[in-house]
Amino acid sequence: MIGSSEIKKILYGGDYNPEQWPEDIWEEDMRIFKLAHIDILTLNVFNWAMLQPDENTYDFRKLDKIMNMTRDNGFKVFMATSTGAHPAWMAREYPDILRTQANGVRRKYGRRHNSCPNSPTYRKYAAALTEQIARRYAEYDNIVAWHVSNEYGGICYCDNCEKKFREWLKKKYRTIEAVNHAWNMNFWSHTLYDWDDIVAPSLITEEFEASGLRTAFQGISLDYARFNSDSMLECYKMEKEILKKITPHIPVSTNFMGMYKTLDYQKWSKELDFVGWDNYPEYNDEPAEIAMRHDLMRGLKQGQPFALLEQTPSVNNWHTICRLKRPDVMRLWSFQAVAHGADTIMFFQMRRSLGACEKFHGAVIDHVGHENTRVFREIEALGSELEDRIKNLILGSRMKSQIAILFDWDNWWAAEFSAGPSRSINYPKEVMQYYKAVYNLHFSVDIVGVEDDLSNYKLVIAPLLYMCKEGYDKKIRKYVKCGGAFLTTYFSGYVEDHDLVVTGGYPGRLKDILGIWVEEIDALPLEEANSFLYSGKKYPARIVCDLMHLRGAKELAHYESDFYAGMPVVTEHSYGEGKAFYVGTRSSEEFYRTLINDIAKELCIAPIAHAPEGVETTVRENENGSFLFLLNHTQAKVIVSVERAGQDILTGKEYLEGDNLEILGAGVVILQRRCQVVAEGVSGNWEAETKAPKADGFF
Ligand code: GLA
Ligand code: ZN
């Protein structure tokens, strides 16, 4: 990426809002940031009101000062376009900028991320502001990337959106008959006669709320979810095109939110020069859950390093319980991000704000105003580790995984809009169960989308693949035929891209690959469970139980009770050179672990390391060697036996094979194992033989 050759370390910094403060404090900020080894600042995220106080006036005086000050002090800037919250005058003059809620109520001026993505006013003024900013600061060579808007999200149901929805559908379906077919509109006498009969699906039309958004017509709601995501993407693209025209050399991105349902990040990421995201775990999120979000974000750009664009140094303001990060946890979670592919570590926020809802959100500089705080000391310590220890060693490194887990936004929307068989079907949770098993077994894993190549993987796990999109069955068929192992679960293969059922028996398009026929689906109340034996151990069968028949597959386990006792629940099918596995129910993580371990053994997939429970392991590799991350998420000291000699780059300590490596509670070890560089038959000195690392990250 452009600009990357100058970047020699993991960038460290965060969101800085000096415009909210009197100017006489700014120099003090500069001093304190330097103490903390901060080198990058995200600027100008929410300044629209200041930059454009009315329709015809732009005022850059303050931002100029901020830009000059940060440049003079040697900071790199991740420069935002300020279009994440519109000014009050715009709402006053042009109500089309205001969003309409699912209940049909048009909002008034308030909050942020508040503009209708299809408002002509929003698009006009957002484009104009972006152009002004890009032209004005084009020559600032410390701008290392553009940050478009902020955390795009939400849904609008206004009349403009409805009109645009019709146009979007016209492009997609061409005729109203095709729409009627795709949405199965013969049902409940819904036949549409004209494009104008189409309305946005909302709480005043097809949708209703009963523990989550539900809908009478999945096809309509699904297309609206796609349309809404596309509408926001258009806004992003509009700004991106302006920025690229004026500063083609500066990468463009925005901040994602991890596993965020409303936007199809797999589609979005194609338009981003790099992926960056904001990591705000709840106090009781498990490390595996955070790890999975990182892996999802890394997978969006096929493994390219990503940026951790926001995390709190200490505490959040918007969770139900805003618990402090315990000592060393900020460091641990920062390295966790790096362990999963981050090449940038950033915070929200640099100075704790005085008023409004983020005044109790953690910050680099607290309300007390000086650096003598526990939180600052941790920030400073991490800053110096990044600068003195990690340097450029890890930049641009990649992970090599033999296991992939599929994640697909269309499938997420469709599976959860579905009426039946159980409201307890939760796509991310299901994926998480499998992810946790893989994580706890210490296998390296990538999260892939339906467009990603599978040929480098030995095992592909696609939990709850309810919607098997056009062509995806072919991809899996080919993959398995060529020797791949594929594992999927209950509620898979049912529908095609429009949520229309694939007839001829479940699991639809996947039937032949799996060698089974699911005749019926039973749903169990949460307090009930069936069971099955696998490898001599009893495991639970919950939520949904498939009643299936073997059609070429072999049974690995069967139900123990109910009228379908004896029917298969876990199967294996040899198909071509490969195998397809099916788990017809929700079981326990322990079962998934056992099954995946058995499959992995057969496939000769080796774990990253043998480490105790609670210790997370990943490996990143580049020209400098392979970096084994050992992250101790427990409070207790643990011992890991070193399997391959290396040096902990955080302490400089060398470890030989067989050594006992001690990791303190919440501690981190990054073991650099050098590549064996063989040049013309001579096993040379790796340092001399390897090229200087390129930071092919994003900035
Ligand atoms: C989000 C936003 C920031 C800030 C933080 C607070 O990630 O992007 O502007 O509001 O949350 O956690
Ligand atoms: Zn709208």
Side-chain angles (χ1 to χ4, degrees):
M1 286 283 170
I2 320 235
S4 59
S5 57
E6 285 156 35
I7 288 163
K8 301 277 188 276
K9 67 177 281 286
I10 290 187
L11 292 178
Y12 191 48
D15 277 43
Y16 179 43
N17 309 308
E19 62 282 346
Q20 295 176 19
W21 290 84
E23 291 179 28
D24 56 12
I25 217 172
W26 295 358
E27 280 306 324
E28 178 65 352
D29 292 342
M30 299 294 100
R31 182 189 71 82
I32 298 180
F33 296 165
K34 285 179 201 165
L35 282 182
H37 311 270
I38 297 293
D39 41 37
I40 181 165
L41 299 169
T42 302
L43 295 179
N44 198 38
V45 182
F46 292 110
N47 279 337
W48 204 341
M50 172 184 95
L51 299 176
Q52 194 179 5
D54 64 52
E55 194 157 352
N56 304 310
T57 316
Y58 287 103
D59 179 355
F60 286 100
R61 281 172 301 174
K62 202 171 234 181
L63 189 55
D64 285 350
K65 279 189 194 166
I66 295 168
M67 291 300 288
N68 293 339
M69 171 185 68
T70 48
R71 183 174 59 181
D72 294 349
N73 279 279
F75 292 103
K76 301 190 187 320
V77 169
F78 185 23
M79 184 69 175
T81 59
S82 263
T83 53
H86 53 241
W89 63 261
M90 211 176 280
R92 190 200 317 128
E93 304 292 331
Y94 302 101
D96 71 279
I97 193 137
L98 298 165
R99 287 190 188 175
T100 296
Q101 301 176 161
N103 61 3
V105 172
R106 165 133 8 229
R107 294 185 62 88
K108 293 189 177 182
Y109 179 66
R111 294 181 39 182
R112 63 168 177 178
H113 305 148
N114 47 4
S115 313
C116 161
N118 288 303
S119 148
T121 305
Y122 178 68
R123 295 222 180 165
K124 176 177 153 194
Y125 288 111
L129 180 64
T130 302
E131 179 155 1
Q132 289 277 339
I133 293 172
R135 289 203 186 286
R136 191 162 193 99
Y137 302 111
E139 302 306 320
Y140 283 65
D141 59 3
N142 61 329
I143 296 182
V144 288
W146 290 110
H147 176 299
V148 177
S149 189
N150 191 66
E151 290 190 336
Y152 281 96
I155 307 178
C156 182
Y157 299 87
C158 76
D159 292 348
N160 269 331
C161 284
E162 193 169 80
K163 277 191 209 124
K164 279 280 158 111
F165 183 43
R166 292 175 192 147
E167 284 169 29
W168 185 92
L169 293 166
K170 260 185 214 167
K171 248 195 223 153
K172 180 169 175 177
Y173 293 104
R174 300 219 160 91
T175 66
I176 197 74
E177 289 73 31
V179 177
N180 279 320
H181 173 75
W183 294 349
N184 199 36
M185 298 300 256
N186 286 331
F187 180 72
W188 284 359
S189 191
H190 261 50
T191 305
L192 305 164
Y193 306 100
D194 190 90
W195 292 101
D196 288 344
D197 292 337
I198 296 173
V199 294
S202 69
L203 295 176
I204 53 173
T205 61
E206 303 296 358
E207 296 179 347
F208 54 102
E209 235 161 0
S211 64
L213 197 63
R214 304 193 59 190
T215 179
F217 278 79
Q218 285 79 30
I220 307 181
S221 293
L222 187 60
D223 270 335
Y224 202 76
R226 290 166 171 152
F227 158 76
N228 181 70
S229 173
D230 282 1
S231 299
M232 296 200 184
L233 181 54
E234 270 183 31
C235 295
Y236 167 85
K237 276 161 67 181
M238 175 189 78
E239 290 194 36
K240 177 189 153 185
E241 273 153 31
I242 296 166
L243 296 165
K244 285 286 179 197
K245 222 185 308 157
I246 300 168
T247 56
H249 55 291
I250 301 180
V252 181
S253 189
T254 184
N255 45 349
F256 283 169
M257 293 180 275
M259 206 168 263
Y260 178 66
K261 190 174 179 182
T262 311
L263 302 184
D264 181 349
Y265 283 159
Q266 280 155 339
K267 194 166 183 189
W268 272 68
S269 56
K270 293 181 187 149
E271 303 295 334
L272 271 56
D273 288 325
F274 62 91
V275 165
W277 82 286
D278 304 342
N279 181 27
Y280 291 106
E282 298 269 354
Y283 75 92
N284 54 356
D285 278 354
E286 292 174 34
E289 297 178 50
I290 311 173
M292 178 168 158
R293 293 173 206 139
H294 285 308
D295 284 350
L296 179 69
M297 295 293 100
R298 186 186 71 251
L300 294 176
K301 275 205 167 295
Q302 294 70 46
Q304 251 186 46
F306 61 90
L308 176 64
L309 292 178
E310 288 182 31
Q311 65 170 343
T312 176
S314 56
V315 72
N316 202 284
N317 68 292
W318 49 270
H319 290 156
T320 341
I321 296 166
C322 302
R323 190 176 200 188
L324 288 176
K325 282 184 181 169
R326 299 349 241 177
D328 296 328
V329 168
M330 184 280 287
R331 172 179 184 263
L332 176 66
W333 287 2
S334 298
F335 280 124
Q336 185 187 30
V338 177
H340 287 268
D343 272 2
T344 306
I345 301 290
M346 293 172 81
F347 299 110
F348 181 90
Q349 52 194 337
M350 297 308 290
R351 190 183 262 279
R352 208 175 244 217
S353 65
L354 283 174
C357 64
E358 282 169 355
K359 63 179 176 299
F360 296 126
H361 193 290
V364 172
I365 308 174
D366 214 324
H367 286 149
V368 71
H370 59 62
E371 65 268 33
N372 302 315
T373 63
R374 174 188 74 86
V375 171
F376 185 85
R377 280 190 289 278
E378 291 202 13
I379 293 167
E380 193 280 324
L382 177 60
S384 85
E385 275 186 304
L386 295 178
E387 197 164 289
D388 304 334
R389 294 286 177 184
I390 309 282
K391 297 176 277 196
N392 64 351
L393 287 173
I394 296 169
L395 290 186
S397 57
R398 300 285 195 121
M399 294 168 84
K400 278 190 197 148
S401 309
Q402 295 183 313
I403 301 180
I405 295 183
L406 179 75
F407 195 88
D408 179 58
W409 259 261
D410 277 309
N411 183 52
W412 187 359
W413 292 329
E416 293 184 9
F417 274 140
S418 172
S422 166
R423 290 309 293 162
S424 300
I425 288 179
N426 177 309
Y427 180 57
K429 255 196 200 155
E430 197 66 34
V431 177
M432 180 61 73
Q433 293 284 324
Y434 283 86
Y435 181 89
K436 268 187 197 162
V438 173
Y439 170 100
N440 285 323
L441 289 164
H442 300 290
F443 292 126
S444 185
V445 60
D446 290 341
I447 299 193
V448 298
V450 290
E451 289 181 14
D452 289 317
D453 178 33
L454 301 177
S455 58
N456 286 328
Y457 299 107
K458 287 187 174 173
L459 170 62
V460 173
I461 306 175
L464 229 143
L465 186 56
Y466 166 71
M467 174 178 284
C468 184
K469 290 197 261 195
E470 184 71 44
Y472 200 61
D473 55 317
K474 286 199 194 94
K475 194 171 202 167
I476 297 169
R477 203 167 282 118
K478 189 169 161 200
Y479 165 75
V480 180
K481 268 193 183 155
C482 295
F486 175 68
L487 165 62
T488 189
T489 71
Y490 73 92
F491 212 43
S492 289
Y494 282 82
V495 297
E496 43 75 280
D497 305 44
H498 308 102
D499 199 63
L500 292 173
V501 166
V502 177
T503 54
Y506 316 131
R509 291 170 170 167
L510 301 173
K511 236 177 15 214
D512 62 310
I513 307 170
L514 294 159
I516 53 166
W517 167 40
V518 175
E519 186 180 350
E520 291 182 88
I521 325 165
D522 191 21
L524 307 187
L526 287 182
E527 62 282 7
E528 275 181 34
N530 203 317
S531 62
F532 59 88
L533 288 177
Y534 177 82
S535 286
K537 231 188 135 190
K538 194 194 266 293
Y539 294 102
R542 297 186 182 280
I543 296 181
V544 162
C545 292
D546 279 343
L547 278 56
M548 65 167 145
H549 308 278
L550 303 175
R551 289 288 180 269
K554 105 178 171 211
E555 174 191 300
L556 296 183
H558 59 251
Y559 293 109
E560 287 192 307
S561 56
D562 218 321
F563 75 95
Y564 41 91
M567 270 188 146
V569 56
V570 184
T571 61
E572 172 188 321
H573 186 219
S574 294
Y575 187 80
E577 302 286 302
K579 280 185 178 170
F581 298 85
Y582 187 80
V583 179
T585 188
R586 156 79 73 83
S587 191
S588 61
E589 194 249 305
E590 198 194 341
F591 166 68
Y592 299 140
R593 238 195 256 200
T594 311
L595 177 69
I596 291 170
N597 202 28
D598 288 349
I599 299 173
K601 257 194 208 146
E602 212 183 300
L603 297 170
C604 299
I605 302 175
I608 294 165
H610 294 89
E613 191 91 18
V615 175
E616 181 175 335
T617 57
T618 70
V619 174
R620 288 183 67 175
E621 294 179 23
N622 65 9
E623 305 93 323
N624 296 325
S626 86
F627 296 87
L628 168 66
F629 286 78
L630 297 161
L631 307 150
N632 181 4
H633 291 287
T634 72
Q635 292 302 308
K637 185 170 82 184
V638 295
I639 307 283
V640 176
S641 169
V642 174
E643 287 160 78
R644 204 177 127 198
Q647 181 180 30
D648 179 6
I649 58 174
L650 294 169
T651 59
K653 204 168 163 195
E654 296 272 0
Y655 291 91
L656 298 173
E657 194 182 317
D659 279 355
N660 276 342
L661 186 157
E662 204 179 276
I663 319 173
L664 298 176
V668 179
V669 167
I670 308 175
L671 218 53
Q672 179 181 23
R673 285 98 45 102
R674 290 153 185 187
C675 351
Q676 308 208 309
V677 178
V678 180
E680 292 173 337
V682 188
S683 177
N685 171 338
W686 72 277
E687 269 169 323
E689 305 279 353
T690 48
K691 280 187 270 132
K694 266 199 305 333
D696 69 340
F698 17 79
F699 288 141

